[in-house]
Amino acid sequence: MKTQLSTAAAVLLCGAFAVGCNSKVKECNQVADIVNENVDALHKIERDLRAANDPGEEGKQAQAMVTAVQDATQKLEALNIGTDGLKPLVAAYVSMLKQVEEGGKEIVSQVEAAGELTDTKIDATLEALQNAQKAVVAACEKPSDDCPKVAAVFDAFPNSVTDDEVGPAFSKMGADLEKLELADGPVKTATTELIKVVKEKVVLLEKAVRLQKALEAAGKKIDDAVAQEDKVVDDLNGFCGAG
């Protein structure tokens, strides 16, 4: 969203007594006012959206974007444009706005579906998993025949995992730990707690991954739509600047 529609050239090209031309100038100026105001609003919202580091904040900025483009769409569609050639150009801009609106609504919908999922909660989830693992390691400071069994499961955990792989990796670890036959004692107690934490927390991690993918897809839809804006505005400028 880099270009602002300017109708200064169109105003200069039309004489004061050229009725048809004055009509074109008036309508071009009406369109320009709405488009330029919308571009300014979207610039700010886009910056705020990209700066957001929490799903809830992303949802708020996406809703602001939806509201802004809906307002611009309503204003443009309310214009009674009679100048030949201008109406399809405005329709093209409105089409772009509606694609942005669709992407913004998808972000809002996904954030609402995710509930109170925040970066803080995700970090706390990872910390809980790590602490539960550390508790098992601490229990094994006292020699036990069960420790090598648990260690083998830990060693099988991938050294490096992608966001998509985190949930499945922990799920497999929990399932493998459940298969172990452990004697009653500190190691079994700590391992049982780790299994419990894995079952509780992996769901949240997988939800976070799904949300991130959905937000990226919606963001791409917005980016693809906005990528059309320069051409649409250039076309409007070309038309409104022509004599």
Side-chain angles (χ1 to χ4, degrees):
M1 292 177 280
K2 300 177 181 178
T3 306
Q4 284 205 332
L5 174 60
S6 171
T7 57
V11 174
L12 292 174
L13 286 170
C14 293
F17 301 102
V19 178
C21 193
N22 280 339
S23 175
K24 175 182 175 181
V25 170
K26 177 182 177 182
E27 292 182 355
C28 280
N29 282 336
Q30 289 174 330
V31 172
D33 287 343
I34 297 169
V35 170
N36 287 337
E37 181 182 359
N38 179 68
V39 169
D40 287 340
L42 289 186
H43 264 300
K44 181 181 184 305
I45 295 169
E46 184 185 27
R47 287 195 299 270
D48 292 342
L49 182 59
R50 293 188 184 282
N53 55 10
D54 184 274
E57 184 60 29
E58 286 185 63
K60 290 179 183 178
Q61 296 303 330
Q63 183 58 59
M65 178 176 285
V66 169
T67 300
V69 297
Q70 285 178 334
D71 179 64
T73 297
Q74 290 171 0
K75 289 177 179 177
L76 288 170
E77 290 181 334
L79 295 178
N80 185 20
I81 296 175
T83 303
D84 290 341
L86 181 57
K87 185 173 289 187
L89 297 178
V90 172
Y93 192 83
V94 167
S95 176
M96 182 275 295
L97 290 178
K98 289 185 176 180
Q99 290 179 57
V100 173
E101 178 185 349
E102 184 179 344
K105 284 182 174 179
E106 286 183 14
I107 292 178
V108 173
S109 175
Q110 291 295 335
V111 169
E112 289 178 348
E116 296 299 318
L117 184 63
T118 64
D119 287 346
T120 300
K121 283 193 174 183
I122 294 171
D123 290 342
T125 294
L126 291 172
E127 184 178 0
L129 286 165
Q130 292 166 354
N131 288 340
Q133 286 177 285
K134 289 177 182 178
V136 175
V137 173
C140 282
E141 289 179 356
K142 183 178 180 180
S144 166
D145 291 340
D146 289 332
C147 289
K149 302 176 187 177
V150 176
V153 174
F154 283 2
D155 289 342
F157 193 88
N159 291 326
S160 177
V161 292
T162 65
D163 289 343
D164 288 348
E165 296 167 342
V166 171
F170 273 113
S171 291
K172 183 178 185 306
M173 183 182 72
D176 289 344
L177 289 172
E178 277 192 297
K179 295 175 184 177
L180 299 179
E181 294 184 3
L182 305 176
D184 291 340
V187 175
K188 182 176 182 178
T189 299
T191 301
T192 300
E193 180 61 24
L194 173 57
I195 293 169
K196 177 184 175 184
V197 172
V198 167
K199 288 182 177 179
E200 291 176 349
K201 303 302 183 182
V202 164
V203 174
L204 185 65
L205 292 177
E206 291 178 337
K207 180 187 283 189
V209 171
R210 289 195 298 272
L211 174 62
Q212 184 59 37
K213 284 185 174 181
L215 292 180
E216 288 174 357
K220 184 178 185 303
K221 183 174 291 187
I222 292 172
D223 290 342
D224 289 347
V226 172
Q228 305 171 34
E229 186 182 44
D230 281 349
K231 181 182 183 308
V232 176
V233 171
D234 283 346
D235 289 344
L236 282 166
N237 272 324
F239 178 84
C240 288

